Amino acid sequence: MKLASYWHDTAAPFAGAAPGPVAGRVDVAVVGGGFTGLSAALALARRGASVAVVEAAHVGAGASGRNGGQCNNGFAQDFAAVEARFGFERAVALYRAFDAAVDTVERLVGEEGIDCAFARTGKLKLAAKPAHAEKLARARDALHRGADPDVAFVPREALAGEIGTERYHGGLVFPKSASLHMGRFVVGLAEAATRAGARIHEGAAVRRLTRIGRTDAHTVETARGTLRADQVLLATGPSRAGPFFRYRRRIVPIGSFIVVTEPLSRARLDALLPTRRMCTTTQNIGHYFRVTPDDRLLFGGRARFALSSATSDAKSGRVLEAGMVETFPALAGTRLDWCWGGIVDMTQDRLPRAGQHEGLYYSMGYSGHGTQMSTHMGQVMAAVMAGDRDANPWSGLDWPAIKGHFGPPWFLPLVGAYYKFQDWRH
Ligand SMILES: Cc1cc2nc3c(=O)[nH]c(=O)nc-3n(C[C@H](O)[C@H](O)[C@H](O)COP(=O)(O)OP(=O)(O)OC[C@H]3O[C@@H](n4cnc5c(N)ncnc54)[C@H](O)[C@@H]3O)c2cc1C
């Protein structure tokens, strides 16, 4: 079993990084070469701006190259909870932002001819307990009131048409959701941004940002040199390095882990996931899984409340293997070929945050539901930076620092214990 991301290993690496030092002056510096940063760089360069992406490691090194491969519409949380907080109209608008985000991914894949196996497979949210199935049926009713007439409830007795396990008590199908090869997509976005004129500097971790007067302009000091930019977009996800203390205090970095099996025959996959949907489960410490473009099962979850590292990933892999076999007993003894982890940029309310603060633009906090939203927000932030403030669906959300959180997530074991207790109780 290889301790590396399947998406990185099965995509050709990005070959268009700018050689030489980071220097000169640009209209926009984008910090971070994941979906947010690359999508923004593409949109800004298409608008005629000179753009430099400065990425600490390599394109897709963060969550964008390490995720579960699901490009889903719908909220991470219950629609009713969002409605109770924001009222019906804004909740519908926020829900539709996820529909628009999946559309954005599909549009960019088509416009740029990115070969990444994009398909509208749909998502299947699975009820881990009988009470969760009742909750999903209520969620269907709430969504049918105006947000999404397409979602469909699948009762337990009809679930065999969707999934080959007795483990779940019902499911909710979101047909607009999609699947794609995330490694090929992130490299394809980087190539598209480069074609449009953006320069992408890898190995260029930002160490210091200095605002010039009260303007939006900054000097951007990186490991490979310094440039001056009239505007700066922070697209750094849950960055653990660099001058982003304000953001670190507002984002909880949560580890999430994934294993990928050996290739399975079509007949075996048809028995496990005949519809090939993107699957998630209703627990706090639940699972997500899908079939890869080359016929393997990708199986992920929070596994342990720890950050990703080689030892941590291997331990989590063993926990996930047990979860996979519990879900699909027929997979006992199946070889695992990949295991890796990544860090999710979780906000307290699990909704993204984007805007401008003290001259810096930012978009992050997608809370594990961001392959589509980060790509979408890259496009949106390009519009916002060009003056269209109304383009941002997340504007106006308050974002206080998390009490007692000064960067290192000392409280993760407590959060883990709390969620385990909640999963046991409800
Ligand atoms: C294990 C896992 C599974 C997931 N599964 C799903 C899923 O199935 N569906 C879904 O919708 N979402 C999923 N997500 C979330 C989704 O992948 C992210 O929301 C999305 O990729 C965020 O993109 P981003 O560009 O904002 O951040 P990232 O992809 O994290 O990119 C940030 C980049 O900033 C760089 N950076 C950080 N600090 C600096 C610095 N100082 N200087 C320069 N560069 C810096 C990093 O190296 C990184 O490349 C998952 C996340 C993880 C970790």
Side-chain angles (χ1 to χ4, degrees):
M1 183 169 74
K2 200 167 167 193
L3 293 177
S5 162
Y6 162 87
W7 305 121
H8 289 159
D9 267 8
T10 54
F14 174 58
V22 173
R25 185 174 176 162
V26 289
D27 295 329
V28 185
V30 175
V31 187
F35 295 141
T36 305
L38 296 169
S39 169
L42 170 60
L44 289 159
R46 279 179 175 178
R47 284 170 179 260
S50 57
V51 184
V53 176
V54 282
E55 161 55 47
H58 60 88
V59 154
S64 300
R66 312 182 70 80
N67 57 67
Q70 309 203 358
C71 181
N72 294 337
N73 70 318
F75 291 130
Q77 60 278 73
D78 206 23
F79 178 81
V82 181
E83 185 183 359
R85 179 168 162 203
F86 294 104
F88 180 71
E89 249 173 61
R90 180 120 204 241
V92 170
L94 295 180
Y95 184 94
R96 297 244 170 94
F98 281 96
D99 293 354
V102 182
D103 293 345
T104 296
V105 172
E106 185 172 37
R107 174 175 61 80
L108 290 175
V109 166
E111 284 172 358
E112 299 295 339
I114 302 174
D115 174 16
C116 61
F118 179 94
R120 294 266 183 177
T121 46
K123 166 176 85 172
L124 175 64
K125 187 159 188 175
L126 291 155
K129 296 182 177 178
H132 296 189
E134 289 160 24
K135 209 171 162 199
L136 287 182
R138 285 199 298 275
R140 181 260 331 259
D141 295 343
L143 289 168
H144 280 192
R145 276 193 286 116
D148 192 342
D150 295 343
V151 294
F153 179 71
V154 186
R156 186 183 170 94
E157 51 283 10
L159 213 50
E162 290 280 350
I163 187 166
T165 174
E166 297 288 308
R167 171 107 179 58
Y168 299 106
H169 300 268
L172 205 53
V173 172
F174 296 72
K176 293 190 194 86
S177 295
S179 68
L180 61 149
H181 188 300
M182 294 294 171
R184 276 154 43 190
F185 181 54
V186 77
V187 170
L189 264 189
E191 287 169 349
T194 313
R195 273 198 303 278
R199 278 186 290 142
I200 299 180
H201 300 276
E202 296 185 320
V206 170
R207 293 171 173 168
R208 188 198 297 249
L209 290 165
T210 311
R211 190 174 184 186
I212 300 172
R214 293 186 62 76
T215 68
D216 290 353
H218 285 76
T219 53
V220 181
E221 289 179 47
T222 80
R224 288 186 48 205
T226 300
L227 58 72
R228 185 199 143 115
D230 290 343
Q231 292 179 311
V232 176
L233 172 65
L234 298 184
T236 45
S239 176
R240 317 276 307 132
F244 314 122
F245 185 63
R246 171 178 194 268
Y247 299 93
R248 234 165 261 141
R249 291 205 60 200
R250 287 161 170 79
I251 284 180
V252 181
I254 299 266
S256 191
F257 304 88
I258 297 175
V259 291
V260 169
T261 67
E262 62 184 301
L264 303 172
S265 70
R266 288 276 161 91
R268 277 186 95 186
L269 289 172
D270 288 346
L272 301 179
L273 289 172
T275 52
R276 302 294 194 268
R277 296 203 199 282
M278 305 291 94
C279 296
T280 63
T281 64
T282 50
Q283 301 110 307
N284 290 304
I285 310 183
H287 294 128
Y288 47 88
F289 42 93
R290 58 161 285 179
V291 174
T292 64
D294 61 350
D295 290 341
R296 302 163 184 271
L297 184 76
L298 178 156
F299 194 90
R302 223 157 268 169
R304 296 161 53 252
F305 272 73
L307 293 181
S308 170
S309 70
T311 3
S312 180
D313 292 359
K315 273 191 202 163
S316 303
R318 288 193 287 277
V319 177
L320 285 175
E321 184 176 15
M324 179 181 84
V325 172
E326 197 189 323
T327 306
F328 298 115
L331 289 183
T334 302
R335 193 183 73 228
L336 298 179
D337 285 348
W338 279 274
C339 170
W340 73 95
I343 301 178
V344 172
D345 52 348
M346 201 69 88
T347 59
Q348 246 178 330
D349 60 8
R350 301 182 73 189
L351 294 175
R353 292 297 189 280
Q356 190 184 21
H357 180 77
E358 292 182 351
L360 287 172
Y361 292 90
Y362 61 89
S363 184
M364 55 188 70
Y366 307 109
S367 304
H369 209 55
T371 60
Q372 62 316 78
M373 190 51 73
S374 58
T375 309
H376 186 61
M377 286 307 295
Q379 305 280 299
V380 164
M381 290 312 288
V384 169
M385 293 166 88
D388 182 3
R389 308 262 152 180
D390 294 340
N392 177 8
W394 309 105
S395 71
L397 297 193
D398 62 336
W399 199 17
I402 297 169
K403 286 199 179 73
H405 181 23
F406 300 101
W410 57 268
F411 43 81
L412 280 190
L414 301 179
V415 175
Y418 170 78
Y419 280 131
K420 266 189 198 142
F421 179 64
Q422 291 298 326
D423 281 343
W424 171 76
R425 251 185 81 199
H426 299 290

